[in-house]
Amino acid sequence: MELIEKYENYGFLDNVEENKKEELSELFENFTKHILKIGEENLQWGKCDFSIIFIPLIRKLYTEYGETNYIKVYDDFKSWYEVEGVEWETNKDDIELFDFVGLYLQHYKSKR
């Protein structure tokens, strides 16, 4: 219950169904611990800072697709970024950090 309150206070559980809040809070907590172990140098690539976008990305993948394998998401996102993300970033003058979430979601959906 404490985790739910923690992430509700951040606003990360807004509009999330009650029956999904506990599992999603645990995912956020576990993934946060995982990325702390990975280290900041492994979370920033070009203009993309994964440490900022992972919460909205995990939330979207969990609520829409039931994705719970955050390690797979990190690995897949990094692989995607190294090819498509870099290419997209190189060809765009004005890029917003959260554009990477939308682009990766397109990639994720196409692999399903």
Side-chain angles (χ1 to χ4, degrees), residues 61 65 72-73 75-81 83-85 100-112:
L61 291 174
Y65 304 102
K72 181 188 89 162
V73 169
D75 290 341
D76 188 53
F77 185 94
K78 186 174 183 199
S79 295
W80 166 82
Y81 178 83
V83 178
E84 293 178 46
F100 291 110
V101 174
L103 290 166
Y104 176 75
L105 288 171
Q106 290 174 10
H107 163 78
Y108 181 89
K109 286 188 262 187
S110 74
K111 289 178 46 177
R112 290 184 62 92

Side-chain angles (χ1 to χ4, degrees), residues 19-40:
N19 64 338
K20 294 184 175 184
K21 287 183 177 184
E22 185 173 354
E23 185 174 24
L24 186 55
S25 296
E26 290 172 6
L27 280 173
F28 289 156
E29 191 71 8
N30 291 338
F31 200 14
T32 300
K33 290 175 184 175
H34 180 70
I35 65 171
L36 288 172
K37 287 180 191 172
I38 291 172
E40 194 172 325

